[in-house]
Amino acid sequence: MANDKKLVASITSRDEDFAQWYTDVVKKAELTGYTSVKGCMVIKPAGYAIWENIQKELDARFKETGVDNVYLPMLIPESLLQKEKDHVEGFAPEVAWVTEGGLNKLQEKMCIRPTSETLFCDLYAKDIQSYRDLPKVYNQWCSVLRWEKTTRPFLRSREFLWQEGHTAHATAEEAEARTVQMLNVYADFCEEVLAIPVVRGQKTDKEKFAGAVSTYTIESLMHDGKALQSGTSHNFGDGFAQAFGIQFTDKDNQLKYVHQTSWGMTTRMIGAIIMVHGDDDGLVLPPRIAPTQCVVIPIRQKAEGVLDKANEITAALRASGLRVKLDDSDRSPGWKFSEQEMRGFPMRIELGPKDLEAGNCVLVRRDTREKLVVPIEKAAEESAKLLQVIQKDMLERAKQFRAEHTYEAEDYETFKETIDQKPGFVKAFWCEDVACEDKIKEDTTATSRCIPFGEEAIVPEGAKCVCCGKPAKKMVYWGKAY
Amino acid sequence: MANDKKLVASITSRDEDFAQWYTDVVKKAELTGYTSVKGCMVIKPAGYAIWENIQKELDARFKETGVDNVYLPMLIPESLLQKEKDHVEGFAPEVAWVTEGGLNKLQEKMCIRPTSETLFCDLYAKDIQSYRDLPKVYNQWCSVLRWEKTTRPFLRSREFLWQEGHTAHATAEEAEARTVQMLNVYADFCEEVLAIPVVRGQKTDKEKFAGAVSTYTIESLMHDGKALQSGTSHNFGDGFAQAFGIQFTDKDNQLKYVHQTSWGMTTRMIGAIIMVHGDDDGLVLPPRIAPTQCVVIPIRQKAEGVLDKANEITAALRASGLRVKLDDSDRSPGWKFSEQEMRGFPMRIELGPKDLEAGNCVLVRRDTREKLVVPIEKAAEESAKLLQVIQKDMLERAKQFRAEHTYEAEDYETFKETIDQKPGFVKAFWCEDVACEDKIKEDTTATSRCIPFGEEAIVPEGAKCVCCGKPAKKMVYWGKAY
C-alpha cells in the first residue's frame, strides 16, 4: 500500500510544516483551484459540496428560529457606506470600487459589498414604520469582497462566500437575545455537525466589529495551536438606526429607534474542518458534513459475484439514507484506499472474494483506520452506527486536543513563554486597558480571542492583569490566530 | 368582501395597463423592494422563497444528469474578457469595471462577471490535460451584473441571480447532446413545475449568444401576448477552446480541442410566473413552486373549538408534506382572503362554527375561486389532490391561452397587421437573410423568437419568406418580446 499511495500524491507531514501540509491537502483533495484573478479562489466540486452541506444544515437551523432569506444588491454607493462613521472607517480601506459602468464613468462610485449592514439599513429605513413591522429577521447567502493583501484558500481570500443575518427589533433586550441566540446556533452547529468544539465569548472593544456595541464570537483551536474565529454575532444597539434614521411608532405611540444585530459564518469553516481533523494522509471529514460518507471498494472485482454484491451493499446503504458511492473503476484497490483517505470520506467498505465466501464485508474507519468485519446483510445498519460513532469520537478527540492545549498564566514571563513555546489558548486575567492588549500583541503576536461566558469568566478577588499587574477586570482567552 | 379588499390594496386592472398591473403585483405581493442602488432590486422574503424553490427543483434535475456545482470569482480581468473576440464585443459595452481596490488604483481593471465563460475557460485550460479529465459538467449559482439602461423587477435588472452551467467535452457530438439535454431540462421544469408551456427551438444567427455556434432557447408567452426568453443553452463548438488553448490528449494520443457548452436560467422566471398566471387580484402561484401552498383561515376564531380544529387541520396538512400555514392573527377573515389572493397561495381552507358543527371545512382554489366542501378528517387528503388538479389546470389554461394567441402569416401585410393587432406569436416563413429580420424589427418591433424543433419546422416546397418573398428556408416564431 505504501507504494500505491504515491499513485495519489504525497503530502507534506502535518507536524513538519503545517502551512505546506494545509496547502497540499487543499490541492490534492481538489477542494480549490487557482485562477487568473489574484487573491481569489475557485471552489471545486469537492469543496463546494461541503459548502452546500454547511448551507443546508445552517439554513434549516436559521429557519427554525424564524429567519427569512432575502437578496440585496452587491454594490454599495459611496454615500451609503459613509453613513455610519465607525463602520466606514473599518471597511473603506479594504473595499474594491466600481467607477465605470456601461462605457461611462459613474457619477458616484460604488464598492462591492464587504458586508451589507448599510444596505439592510437602507431597506429597513424604508420598510419599518410601526411596531407591527418588527422584528425583521433577514438573512442572505452571498459572496463578499475584501481587498486582502495576503491570501490563503478558505482562510483569507479577497472574495468569499458567507451568510449574513441582519435583524431589527423594537427593544434592546430583544436585540441582545437575538445576538446570543445566533451565536448559540453557530456554536451548536460547529459542535454537532462539524465536530469542532468552540469557546463562546465576547470580543474586547479593540477586536469588535466596526460599528458594533458588542461582538460575540466562537473561537476554535486548530491542530497547530492557532485560534480561528469561527463565527461572530454583533449587537449594534441603535447606532446604525440613528445614522440611517430607522424609526418606528411603538405601541405607546412614541417614535423610537430600532435595535439591530448582524451575524455571519463563512467558507472559512471549510478551512477549520481541514485544520482540526486532517492528518498526514489528507482530509478527514466529519460524517454529518461529508458529501460522500462511505465509498464501497470491491477487491478483485472481476471475481464472480464481487461486483454484484458491492452494488447490492451500495444500494442498501443508499436506501438507508447514507451518502455512498461505489468505486468500480479499473484502478487498483490500494489507489482507491489512498484516494478515500486523501478526500476524507469517513469510512470505506472493502469486499473481496474471500469476504464474499464468508458472507462478510470490512468496514474501515478513516479517522482511526480501525477495521470492523460485519455480515454483508448488516452492512447498512452497521455503517450507520459506525458513522455516528465516528462523528462522536471526532468531537471528543478535538475536545481533548483543545484541553491539552489550553494553558493558564498568572505572570507576564510565563505568559510570553507559553505563547512562544506551547501553541494553544492561554487563559489569563486582564485589566481591560487596550494598552495591555497592544503590548501583548507587539511582544507575542497573540491577540485577545474572547472573554468567555459562564463560570470560567469569574475574576477572583485580588486577580491581577497578566501584563501590567494592575487589578484584573476580565478573564481572557489569548492566542495566535488566523 | 369588496370593502375588505381595500384593506390589502387595490391594484391596476391587468387588461387596462399590463405594465402597471405587473408593478403593482410585484410591490403589493412584497416580492421586491426598491433600493438606493440604481437599477438593482431587493428580493424580499416572498420573492426569494420562490427563487429557493426554483433552485431546489432545478438543482436536483441538474444533479440527476451528473452536474457538479462549483464557485468561481465574481471578477474578470480585462485581458481575460478579451480573449474571445465575439464574446468581448457582445459584453464589453454592458459591464461594470472595478478600477480601485484597497485604496490603490489597479494595474489591470476587472469587470464584475456579466457571465462566466471566460473564467470557466481559464479553469479548464489548467485542469484538462487528458480524455480522462473529460467531460467537465460544472454549474454555479451566483449573481451577475449587466449595466442595463432601463430596468424592471425580475425582467431586467442590473444585477440578477441565475445559474450558469459550463461544460467541456471530448467530441462535438457529446457537446451537442448536452446542449439539447439541458434545454430539455429547462423546458420540462417550466412545464411540470412552473406550469408554463414553452416553445423549444433555435435562435437565428442574429439573436444567438456572443461567441456561440448555436443557441437553443425556450420561449414562453405572457398574458399581454409578449414573448419571454425563458432559458438558453449554447453550443460553443471549439471556438472558446481555441481562444483559451483548452486541449487534451485523446485516447488515440492526438492533441485535440475540447467542445464546450453553457446554459442558464435566471430570476426572470419569477417575472414569467407573475405574467403567465397572475390576475386582477394579484399573484397566482403554481402549487409546485409556491412557498405556501395553503393557508388555513378560521372564521369567528374565538368561537368554541374553531381555532383548535384549525390547528389540527394545519398539522394534518403539514404531516402529509404540504407547505401550509395557519393565519390566526386578529385581522378579519375578508382581509385574510384578500391577502391570500394577492400573495397567490394556491388554496385556502376556511373553517367556521357552522362548518365545525357539520364536520366540514371549505377548500377554496385561488385560480378559479371554486369552493369544495369536504369532511374535516379528509382535509389533508383532499388538499393534496386539489393542489395536483390546480397544477394541471394552470398548465392547461396557459397552453390554451398560447394556442389562442399563436397566429400564422403568409404575406407581409397580414404579418404586420397581426403583430400590430393581435398580441402573441406569429409563425411565418423566412429566407434566412438577416436583412429581413432587421426590416421586420424596424417595421414592427417584433423579433425572431426561435426556429422551432420538430414537425412544425418543416418548410413545404414553394414556401416564401414572409418579408421578401424569396424562397423560404426556415419556419420561425416571431413576436414582440421582453
Side-chain angles (χ1 to χ4, degrees):
Chain A
M1 225 190 92
N3 198 30
D4 273 318
K5 262 194 191 156
K6 291 187 186 143
L7 288 174
V8 176
S10 59
I11 60 172
T12 306
S13 157
R14 182 174 56 156
D15 291 326
E16 210 169 90
D17 183 345
F18 192 78
Q20 188 58 47
W21 168 83
Y22 179 81
T23 306
D24 286 353
V25 171
V26 166
K27 186 177 171 192
K28 303 281 168 62
E30 296 186 53
L31 302 181
T32 68
Y34 288 96
T35 133
S36 302
V37 190
K38 196 167 172 286
C40 295
M41 60 180 166
V42 169
I43 307 181
K44 291 190 175 185
Y48 198 80
I50 298 172
W51 182 240
E52 284 182 306
N53 283 348
I54 290 175
Q55 286 188 299
K56 204 169 141 192
E57 286 277 353
L58 263 186
D59 199 66
R61 286 163 191 251
F62 291 165
K63 282 176 178 157
E64 272 173 31
T65 75
V67 170
D68 285 319
N69 284 337
V70 298
Y71 187 78
L72 270 57
M74 67 154 79
L75 296 178
I76 307 175
E78 188 175 25
S79 55
L80 201 60
L81 187 71
Q82 289 177 336
K83 276 201 175 180
E84 210 286 335
K85 192 180 65 67
D86 292 336
H87 190 71
V88 66
E89 275 175 22
F91 283 104
E94 58 178 48
V95 297
W97 291 103
V98 174
T99 60
E100 302 167 23
L103 303 178
N104 296 312
K105 203 165 158 53
L106 301 188
Q107 288 191 312
E108 179 182 11
K109 67 181 181 178
M110 298 197 257
C111 73
I112 297 173
R113 62 182 162 220
T115 178
S116 303
E117 275 74 11
T118 53
L119 291 165
F120 276 89
C121 285
D122 185 46
L123 175 66
Y124 288 154
K126 291 186 181 80
D127 279 8
I128 297 170
Q129 272 95 42
S130 149
Y131 69 91
R132 284 189 205 86
D133 303 322
L134 294 172
K136 295 278 188 208
V137 186
Y138 287 175
N139 173 66
Q140 73 176 354
W141 292 94
C142 64
S143 78
V144 290
L145 203 93
R146 297 176 187 178
W147 212 254
E148 305 282 357
K149 284 188 187 74
T150 49
T151 59
R152 302 188 64 193
F154 297 123
L155 300 177
R156 192 171 293 277
S157 61
R158 286 190 175 167
E159 183 182 4
F160 58 88
L161 302 178
W162 78 345
Q163 59 66 220
E164 47 178 325
H166 296 266
T167 72
H169 307 270
T171 66
E173 293 68 32
E174 206 182 300
E176 175 65 13
R178 174 59 71 169
T179 314
V180 172
Q181 178 182 27
M182 299 320 287
L183 192 82
N184 286 330
V185 166
Y186 289 148
D188 293 345
F189 165 76
C190 282
E191 303 199 343
E192 292 165 16
V193 180
L194 307 184
I196 296 177
V198 297
V199 179
R200 308 173 197 208
Q202 184 169 1
K203 286 286 182 193
T204 63
D205 277 354
K206 175 182 161 76
E207 298 289 337
K208 74 184 184 189
F209 184 81
V213 171
S214 54
T215 289
Y216 300 137
T217 179
I218 51 173
E219 301 281 327
S220 55
L221 194 64
M222 306 297 104
H223 184 80
D224 63 348
K226 279 191 178 172
L228 189 84
Q229 178 179 303
S230 301
T232 48
S233 186
H234 316 291
N235 186 339
F236 292 125
D238 62 3
F240 275 92
Q242 295 209 23
F244 285 81
I246 313 173
Q247 287 182 295
F248 69 102
T249 307
D250 207 350
K251 286 177 187 165
D252 60 10
N253 228 15
Q254 300 290 305
L255 202 59
K256 298 177 184 172
Y257 287 108
V258 300
H259 289 74
Q260 292 173 268
T261 84
S262 82
W263 24 276
M265 189 170 261
T266 79
T267 33
R268 170 172 251 218
M269 292 319 292
I270 300 173
I273 294 168
I274 299 166
M275 293 194 294
V276 169
H277 300 300
D279 65 21
D280 279 356
D281 291 319
L283 202 57
V284 184
L285 293 171
R288 289 195 58 184
I289 210 71
T292 300
Q293 297 174 313
C294 176
V295 57
V296 178
I297 301 177
I299 320 282
R300 291 190 51 212
Q301 63 187 25
K302 283 173 186 163
E304 199 188 333
V306 170
L307 199 51
D308 283 349
K309 194 55 84 176
N311 265 304
E312 265 178 45
I313 292 174
T314 307
L317 264 70
R318 185 165 297 134
S320 73
L322 302 183
R323 298 187 286 270
V324 57
K325 66 177 186 183
L326 170 71
D327 187 348
D328 59 359
S329 68
D330 58 7
R331 300 168 311 172
S332 75
W335 201 101
K336 293 176 188 178
F337 297 163
S338 315
E339 194 194 34
Q340 173 247 332
E341 290 171 3
M342 175 63 73
R343 292 184 180 272
F345 304 152
M347 60 169 287
R348 67 175 181 252
I349 296 180
E350 303 174 6
L351 177 83
K354 282 182 191 164
D355 304 305
L356 192 58
E357 211 175 314
N360 291 328
C361 58
V362 186
L363 279 45
V364 187
R365 292 174 66 155
R366 169 62 182 90
D367 60 336
T368 61
R369 270 80 168 176
E370 275 176 88
K371 296 188 174 199
L372 193 65
V373 178
V374 305
I376 287 173
E377 67 274 15
K378 290 204 162 179
E381 186 189 327
E382 292 294 332
S383 296
K385 271 193 223 162
L386 186 60
L387 289 168
Q388 286 186 3
V389 172
I390 294 172
Q391 181 80 30
K392 193 168 148 287
D393 288 355
M394 287 178 74
L395 176 61
E396 285 312 313
R397 269 197 305 278
K399 278 186 177 169
Q400 198 182 330
F401 177 87
R402 186 182 62 176
E404 289 165 3
H405 293 81
T406 300
Y407 307 94
E408 293 181 7
E410 292 194 4
D411 63 86
Y412 202 45
E413 283 315 303
T414 310
F415 182 85
K416 284 194 290 186
E417 199 181 292
T418 311
I419 291 283
D420 190 47
Q421 304 290 326
K422 296 176 176 170
F425 286 131
V426 182
K427 294 165 70 171
F429 294 113
W430 173 56
C431 62
E432 229 171 8
D433 188 340
V434 70
C436 287
E437 264 184 295
D438 289 340
K439 181 169 164 54
I440 286 173
K441 188 170 183 185
E442 207 187 306
D443 291 349
T444 67
T445 74
T447 49
S448 68
R449 303 315 308 152
C450 69
I451 302 154
F453 296 150
E455 253 180 48
E456 63 177 336
I458 295 167
V459 179
E461 198 131 345
K464 294 198 168 70
C465 175
V466 74
C467 181
C468 68
K470 287 182 191 155
K473 291 185 184 153
K474 291 283 188 288
M475 208 289 286
V476 172
Y477 272 78
W478 305 86
K480 295 183 185 176
Y482 279 95
Chain B
M1 225 190 94
N3 198 30
D4 274 318
K5 260 191 192 158
K6 289 184 189 148
L7 288 174
V8 177
S10 60
I11 60 174
T12 306
S13 157
R14 183 173 56 156
D15 291 326
E16 208 170 274
D17 183 345
F18 193 77
Q20 188 58 47
W21 168 83
Y22 179 82
T23 306
D24 286 353
V25 171
V26 166
K27 187 178 171 190
K28 303 280 167 65
E30 296 187 54
L31 302 181
T32 68
Y34 289 97
T35 132
S36 301
V37 190
K38 194 167 173 287
C40 295
M41 59 180 166
V42 169
I43 307 181
K44 291 191 175 185
Y48 198 81
I50 298 172
W51 182 239
E52 285 183 304
N53 283 348
I54 290 176
Q55 286 189 299
K56 204 169 142 193
E57 286 277 353
L58 263 187
D59 200 66
R61 285 162 192 250
F62 291 166
K63 282 176 177 155
E64 271 172 32
T65 75
V67 170
D68 285 319
N69 283 338
V70 298
Y71 187 78
L72 270 57
M74 68 155 76
L75 297 178
I76 307 175
E78 188 176 25
S79 55
L80 201 61
L81 187 71
Q82 290 178 334
K83 277 201 173 180
E84 210 284 337
K85 192 179 64 65
D86 291 336
H87 190 70
V88 66
E89 276 176 21
F91 283 103
E94 59 179 46
V95 298
W97 291 103
V98 174
T99 60
E100 303 167 21
L103 302 177
N104 296 310
K105 202 163 157 56
L106 302 187
Q107 288 193 311
E108 178 182 13
K109 68 181 182 179
M110 298 197 258
C111 73
I112 297 173
R113 62 182 162 220
T115 178
S116 303
E117 274 74 12
T118 54
L119 291 165
F120 276 89
C121 285
D122 185 45
L123 175 66
Y124 288 154
K126 290 188 182 80
D127 279 8
I128 296 170
Q129 272 95 42
S130 148
Y131 68 90
R132 285 189 204 86
D133 302 322
L134 294 171
K136 295 278 188 209
V137 186
Y138 287 174
N139 173 65
Q140 73 176 353
W141 292 93
C142 64
S143 77
V144 289
L145 203 94
R146 297 177 187 177
W147 213 255
E148 305 283 358
K149 283 186 188 73
T150 50
T151 60
R152 302 188 63 193
F154 297 122
L155 299 177
R156 192 171 295 276
S157 61
R158 285 192 175 165
E159 183 182 3
F160 58 87
L161 301 178
W162 78 345
Q163 56 68 220
E164 47 178 327
H166 297 266
T167 72
H169 306 270
T171 66
E173 293 70 31
E174 206 182 301
E176 175 66 12
R178 174 59 70 168
T179 314
V180 173
Q181 179 182 28
M182 298 319 289
L183 191 82
N184 286 330
V185 166
Y186 290 148
D188 293 345
F189 165 76
C190 282
E191 303 199 342
E192 292 165 15
V193 180
L194 306 184
I196 296 177
V198 296
V199 179
R200 309 174 195 207
Q202 183 169 0
K203 286 285 182 192
T204 63
D205 278 353
K206 176 181 161 74
E207 299 288 336
K208 76 184 183 188
F209 184 80
V213 171
S214 54
T215 288
Y216 301 138
T217 180
I218 51 173
E219 301 281 327
S220 55
L221 194 65
M222 305 297 103
H223 185 80
D224 63 348
K226 277 192 180 172
L228 189 83
Q229 178 178 303
S230 300
T232 49
S233 186
H234 316 290
N235 186 339
F236 292 125
D238 62 3
F240 275 93
Q242 295 208 24
F244 284 81
I246 313 174
Q247 287 181 296
F248 70 102
T249 307
D250 206 350
K251 285 177 187 164
D252 60 11
N253 228 15
Q254 300 290 305
L255 201 61
K256 298 177 186 172
Y257 288 108
V258 300
H259 289 73
Q260 292 174 266
T261 83
S262 81
W263 24 276
M265 188 171 261
T266 81
T267 33
R268 169 172 252 218
M269 292 319 291
I270 300 173
I273 295 167
I274 300 167
M275 293 195 294
V276 169
H277 301 300
D279 65 21
D280 279 355
D281 291 319
L283 200 57
V284 183
L285 293 171
R288 290 195 58 182
I289 209 70
T292 300
Q293 296 174 313
C294 175
V295 57
V296 178
I297 301 177
I299 320 282
R300 291 191 49 212
Q301 62 187 25
K302 282 172 187 163
E304 200 188 333
V306 169
L307 199 52
D308 284 348
K309 195 55 84 178
N311 265 304
E312 263 178 47
I313 292 173
T314 307
L317 265 69
R318 186 165 296 135
S320 73
L322 302 183
R323 298 187 288 268
V324 59
K325 65 178 187 184
L326 170 71
D327 187 347
D328 59 358
S329 68
D330 58 6
R331 300 168 309 173
S332 74
W335 202 100
K336 294 176 188 178
F337 298 163
S338 315
E339 195 193 34
Q340 173 248 331
E341 290 171 3
M342 175 63 72
R343 292 184 180 272
F345 304 153
M347 60 170 286
R348 66 176 182 253
I349 297 180
E350 304 175 6
L351 177 83
K354 281 182 190 163
D355 304 303
L356 191 59
E357 209 174 317
N360 290 329
C361 58
V362 186
L363 279 46
V364 186
R365 293 173 66 155
R366 169 64 181 90
D367 60 336
T368 60
R369 269 79 167 177
E370 275 176 89
K371 295 188 174 199
L372 193 65
V373 178
V374 306
I376 288 174
E377 68 274 14
K378 288 204 165 182
E381 187 189 327
E382 293 295 333
S383 297
K385 271 193 223 162
L386 185 60
L387 288 168
Q388 286 186 4
V389 171
I390 294 172
Q391 181 80 30
K392 191 168 149 287
D393 288 355
M394 287 178 74
L395 176 61
E396 284 312 314
R397 269 197 305 277
K399 277 187 177 169
Q400 197 183 329
F401 178 86
R402 185 182 63 176
E404 289 164 2
H405 293 80
T406 299
Y407 307 94
E408 293 181 6
E410 292 193 4
D411 62 86
Y412 202 47
E413 282 315 303
T414 310
F415 182 86
K416 284 193 290 186
E417 198 182 294
T418 310
I419 290 283
D420 190 48
Q421 303 291 326
K422 297 177 176 170
F425 285 130
V426 182
K427 294 165 72 171
F429 294 112
W430 172 57
C431 62
E432 228 172 9
D433 189 339
V434 70
C436 287
E437 263 183 296
D438 289 339
K439 180 170 166 53
I440 287 173
K441 189 170 182 185
E442 207 188 304
D443 291 348
T444 67
T445 77
T447 49
S448 68
R449 303 316 308 152
C450 69
I451 303 153
F453 295 150
E455 253 180 47
E456 63 177 336
I458 294 167
V459 179
E461 199 132 346
K464 294 199 169 69
C465 175
V466 74
C467 182
C468 68
K470 287 182 190 155
K473 291 184 182 154
K474 291 283 187 289
M475 207 291 283
V476 172
Y477 272 79
W478 306 85
K480 295 184 184 177
Y482 280 94

